[in-house]
Amino acid sequence: MTIDERELGETVVLDMRGRLVLEDGDQVLKQRVAALLDAGRRQIVMNVAEVPYVDSAGLGALVSVCLSARSKGAAVKLLNPSKKLLDRSEEHTSELQ
């Protein structure tokens, strides 16, 4: 998993590439978003257009960063999720709404 960072005004866009799976991306994503939140960034977009597969650890990382952001008054959004990722995330996060 690689994550490139770019800024669009007040928003930080994380362009993610590769599989978001246990021991390959899940911790990197959590650390990157935590650093952004600690730096005071409050609008983060994760572009997952080039993420072909997300396992349960990767899904857990996505949920974790969203909850961390919410607790700090920030927002994390998904950009370009596959239908499969969107369906899985909705299944597992419906109780968070």
Side-chain angles (χ1 to χ4, degrees), residues 31-85:
Q31 291 168 356
R32 178 68 66 93
V33 172
L36 290 168
L37 294 171
D38 289 345
R41 303 311 298 257
R42 295 294 174 253
Q43 297 176 14
I44 301 168
V45 173
M46 297 183 296
N47 180 7
V48 294
E50 294 185 41
V51 177
Y53 180 75
V54 178
D55 71 1
S56 59
L59 187 58
L62 292 172
V63 171
S64 176
V65 299
C66 289
L67 291 174
S68 293
R70 183 186 292 177
S71 74
K72 294 184 178 194
V76 174
K77 307 278 183 181
L78 284 179
L79 177 65
N80 299 315
S82 67
K83 179 170 178 4
K84 184 175 182 176
L85 174 57

Side-chain angles (χ1 to χ4, degrees), residues 1-8 11-18 25 28-29 32-33 36 44-51 79:
M1 161 75 48
T2 61
I3 302 175
D4 295 322
E5 186 177 314
R6 59 190 165 102
E7 294 186 22
L8 292 172
T11 302
V12 176
V13 179
L14 300 178
D15 293 308
M16 301 165 56
R17 289 179 191 81
V28 172
L29 177 61
R32 178 68 66 93
V33 172
L36 290 168
I44 301 168
V45 173
M46 297 183 296
N47 180 7
V48 294
E50 294 185 41
V51 177
L79 177 65

